[in-house]
Amino acid sequence: MARFTKGQCQPCPVRTRCTTSHESARNVGFPPRELRDLQVRARTDQQTPDWQARYAVRSGVEGTVNEFAHGHGMRRCRYRGSRRPTCSTYSRPSP
């Protein structure tokens, strides 16, 4: 963690890129090197066409699951007092 005092922040020519505060100091946190390297590698991978194609499939699935859970009330179980239902309970046709 790096802390810059008000006296250090005020005269800085790039202060507006760092903070919008006019009064207080600036605290900047730095992640551990291993985490930073992992973030850089992941962000680089995200620019490749292969990663973007795989993510397009994932985002479509996530949208479908979200609609199922929120749009159709599937977060709450209809069968109160019975054992926890499985996925097959929801996918069976109605009698």
Side-chain angles (χ1 to χ4, degrees):
M1 179 71 73
R3 179 167 172 76
F4 299 95
T5 64
K6 183 178 176 181
Q8 291 170 318
C9 281
Q10 291 293 345
C12 180
V14 292
R15 186 175 155 285
T16 56
R17 292 176 50 196
C18 187
T19 182
T20 57
S21 175
H22 296 289
E23 300 298 322
S24 64
R26 173 85 166 131
N27 294 324
V28 181
F30 299 100
R33 181 173 297 279
E34 297 84 27
L35 178 59
R36 175 69 180 142
D37 293 344
L38 182 62
Q39 287 175 331
V40 168
R41 199 170 340 124
R43 289 177 181 147
T44 304
D45 290 345
Q46 290 172 3
Q47 303 305 316
T48 62
D50 181 50
W51 188 93
Q52 291 175 354
R54 285 184 290 129
Y55 189 77
V57 172
R58 177 183 171 176
S59 64
V61 170
E62 286 180 356
T64 302
V65 169
N66 186 46
E67 178 189 350
F68 186 67
H70 293 98
H72 302 288
M74 291 301 159
R75 288 267 187 223
R76 299 193 183 267
C77 182
R78 296 181 289 193
Y79 306 104
R80 296 177 69 144
S82 62
R83 290 182 42 182
R84 181 176 178 173
T86 60
C87 290
S88 62
T89 306
Y90 294 118
S91 61
R92 280 192 230 147
S94 300

